[in-house]
Amino acid sequence: MAIENTLSIIKPDATDRNLTGAINSKLEKAGLKIIAQKRLKLSREMAQKFYEVHKDRPFYNDLVDFMISGPVVVQVLSGENAVMLNREVMGATNPSEAKDGTIRKEFALSIEANSVHGSDSLENAKNEISFFFSSIEIV
Ligand code: CMP
């Protein structure tokens, strides 16, 4: 299997509860390497652009409001099959459907405040990584 990079976001509900380290520990224990990471507060424009694919969904405005409600930690994760591996470690979008041991099962509060985002395909991973990081920040 190929080494892939994927984008991960630790969302405001998780940074607010001081869960960055606990989430990073789960990622690293699963074999994902954090090869870039920064904490920032998204502007409304950035959040709208990042989630543009959902702009016609009924939850879009609430999702944008939530993502700018506090700091996020954006990260690039690397490893074999990293896109799908990260999605397994994250668990289902809705925490009530997430499997035991996953990040969302353990930490998420709701489908919106679900603690983490992860790219859903290799193509989206490339676009999402370049949305937040320049090549010299990824080592
Ligand atoms: P994420 O992986 O960041 O991608 C889009 C986000 O929209 C998703 O996680 C959820 O947190 C959020 N969201 C809010 N409501 C819904 C919903 N009804 N269905 C899917 N995603 C939702």
Side-chain angles (χ1 to χ4, degrees), residues 11 51 54 57 59 63 67 87 90 93 104 110-114 116-118:
K11 295 187 180 184
Y51 280 120
H54 295 304
R57 308 285 289 274
F59 57 82
L63 173 63
M67 291 299 289
R87 290 184 69 82
M90 287 162 49
T93 306
R104 284 168 168 164
S110 67
I111 194 168
E112 179 176 87
N114 64 354
V116 280
H117 164 84

Side-chain angles (χ1 to χ4, degrees), residues 59-80:
F59 57 82
Y60 177 70
N61 287 331
D62 285 347
L63 173 63
V64 168
D65 284 343
F66 168 66
M67 291 299 289
I68 65 173
S69 67
V72 297
V73 175
V74 293
Q75 3 180 245
V76 181
L77 309 178
S78 179
E80 275 191 17

Side-chain angles (χ1 to χ4, degrees), residues 13-81:
D13 67 285
T15 60
D16 181 52
R17 287 174 291 146
N18 220 13
L19 292 171
T20 300
I23 289 171
N24 281 352
S25 173
K26 277 192 171 289
L27 297 171
E28 291 184 339
K29 279 189 184 131
L32 290 160
K33 191 172 277 192
I34 301 164
I35 61 169
Q37 176 168 263
K38 57 190 172 191
R39 179 173 152 118
L40 59 133
K41 187 115 182 329
L42 295 176
S43 66
R44 180 171 297 278
E45 292 67 30
M46 279 180 89
Q48 284 172 333
K49 183 121 191 15
F50 184 79
Y51 280 120
E52 200 165 25
V53 61
H54 295 304
K55 69 176 187 306
D56 296 326
R57 308 285 289 274
F59 57 82
Y60 177 70
N61 287 331
D62 285 347
L63 173 63
V64 168
D65 284 343
F66 168 66
M67 291 299 289
I68 65 173
S69 67
V72 297
V73 175
V74 293
Q75 3 180 245
V76 181
L77 309 178
S78 179
E80 275 191 17
N81 204 22

Side-chain angles (χ1 to χ4, degrees), residues 1 4 9 17 21 37 44 51 73 82-83 88 95 97-98 102 106 117 121-122 137:
M1 254 179 277
E4 298 174 350
I9 306 178
R17 287 174 291 146
Q37 176 168 263
R44 180 171 297 278
Y51 280 120
V73 175
V83 173
E88 277 169 32
E97 293 164 13
T102 61
E106 214 157 299
H117 164 84
S121 69
L122 196 52
E137 294 177 298

